[in-house]
């Protein structure tokens, strides 16, 4: 069974469009994250949710809106996509000692 | 401020040779330390972690890391590298804040 899954794996879209990425974990963890990995492979935290509540928001533009319908799911919706949003987005689920388990990533390309 | 530095952006080793990837951190409290590996087009996989206790920790795929508080380091080692170890390696520091801070990554290339 996949511990942390994301859909879609690839997303190609035009500037100005709105898109969503879904994430699910079956590890029973309370805390989930979204990270952005840029073209230089640098990983930056975007959001964190604990049991459906937002606990970390790292100065991400408000075009990005996470939503957690339950503690096993954390989705990311992006409005008015810009070229600079092109990146790989990773969802992660946090274990007891801050270790994080990552999903396979969603490669977003904005044309 | 919390930070992680991986001084080596790119390392090339021959297959069968030993490997050491460096990681230095800055953290105000007792750190939790991690090494992750990312193969091309894949997500990050946890190799090993340190929370407390024995400063030499063993991980998956034959990797180990040693926590040296006096040097603020957590270097990753492997005695004999395999071609399949070629990947991007990330060191990360965290703690009770719940946030992980990642280093810039080290690209490992393995020569046949």
């Amino acid at each position: 069974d996949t511990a942390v899954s994301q859909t879609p794996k690839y997303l190609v879209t035009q500037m100005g469009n709105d898109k969503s990425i879904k994430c699910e974990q079956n590890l029973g963890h309370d805390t989930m994250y979204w990270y952005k990995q840029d073209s230089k492979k640098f990983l930056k935290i975007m959001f964190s949710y604990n049991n459906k509540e937002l606990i970390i928001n790292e100065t991400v533009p408000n075009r990005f809106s996470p939503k957690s319908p339950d503690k096993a799911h954390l989705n990311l919706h992006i409005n008015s996509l810009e070229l600079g949003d092109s990146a790989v987005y990773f969802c992660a689920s946090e274990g007891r000692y801050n270790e994080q388990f990552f999903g396979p990533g969603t490669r977003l390309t904005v044309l | 401020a919390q930070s992680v530095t991986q001084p080596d952006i790119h390392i090339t080793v021959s297959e069968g040779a030993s490997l050491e990837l460096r990681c230095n951190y800055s953290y105000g409290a007792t750190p939790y330390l991690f090494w992750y590996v990312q193969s091309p087009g894949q997500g990050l996989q946890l190799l090993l972690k340190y929370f407390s206790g024995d400063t030499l920790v063993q991980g998956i795929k034959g990797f180990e890391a040693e926590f040296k508080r006096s040097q603020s380091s957590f270097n990753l080692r492997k005695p004999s590298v395999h071609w399949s170890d070629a990947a991007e390696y990330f060191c990360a520091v965290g703690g009770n804040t719940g946030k992980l801070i990642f280093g810039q990554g080290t690209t490992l290339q393995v020569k046949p």
Side-chain angles (χ1 to χ4, degrees), chain A residues 87-102:
Chain A
V88 182
Y89 292 85
F90 286 102
C91 175
S93 174
E94 184 178 275
R96 184 179 173 190
Y97 292 104
N98 205 197
E99 72 271 34
Q100 293 179 21
F101 300 90
F102 284 79

Side-chain angles (χ1 to χ4, degrees), chain B residues 30-63:
Chain B
T30 301
Y32 295 166
L33 294 158
F34 309 87
W35 275 99
Y36 286 85
V37 61
Q38 184 180 25
S39 297
Q42 303 295 314
L44 279 76
Q45 182 182 22
L46 181 64
L47 281 177
L48 48 76
K49 55 187 184 257
Y50 169 80
F51 304 113
S52 64
D54 194 346
T55 55
L56 184 63
V57 294
Q58 302 296 322
I60 61 172
K61 304 185 181 191
F63 285 93

Side-chain angles (χ1 to χ4, degrees), chain B residues 8-86:
Chain B
D8 305 305
I9 295 173
H10 192 280
I11 282 186
T12 300
V13 299
S14 298
E15 190 167 15
S18 63
L19 171 71
E20 182 169 28
L21 301 181
R22 296 183 291 164
C23 174
N24 294 100
Y25 68 90
S26 172
Y27 196 77
T30 301
Y32 295 166
L33 294 158
F34 309 87
W35 275 99
Y36 286 85
V37 61
Q38 184 180 25
S39 297
Q42 303 295 314
L44 279 76
Q45 182 182 22
L46 181 64
L47 281 177
L48 48 76
K49 55 187 184 257
Y50 169 80
F51 304 113
S52 64
D54 194 346
T55 55
L56 184 63
V57 294
Q58 302 296 322
I60 61 172
K61 304 185 181 191
F63 285 93
E64 66 178 27
E66 186 171 12
F67 169 54
K68 292 185 178 180
R69 185 186 297 274
S70 61
Q71 298 176 21
S72 297
S73 68
F74 189 58
N75 295 348
L76 181 71
R77 301 194 292 248
K78 185 168 185 178
S80 177
V81 168
H82 188 262
W83 63 266
S84 61
D85 293 324

Side-chain angles (χ1 to χ4, degrees), chain A residues 9 33 35 37 40-43 45 56 58 90 94 96-105 107, chain B residues 32 34 36 38 41-44 46 49 51 88 90 93-100 102-104:
Chain A
K9 189 166 174 65
Y33 294 79
Y35 286 87
Q37 186 175 47
K40 295 184 178 178
K41 303 247 175 123
F42 183 64
L43 269 165
I45 186 172
I56 294 175
E58 287 288 308
F90 286 102
E94 184 178 275
R96 184 179 173 190
Y97 292 104
N98 205 197
E99 72 271 34
Q100 293 179 21
F101 300 90
F102 284 79
R107 181 175 294 276
Chain B
Y32 295 166
F34 309 87
Y36 286 85
Q38 184 180 25
Q42 303 295 314
L44 279 76
L46 181 64
K49 55 187 184 257
F51 304 113
E88 192 79 20
F90 293 95
V93 64
N96 56 12
T97 64
K99 248 170 69 165
L100 278 192
F102 283 84
Q104 294 277 60

Side-chain angles (χ1 to χ4, degrees), chain A residues 22 37 49:
Chain A
K22 295 186 175 182
Q37 186 175 47
Y49 267 72

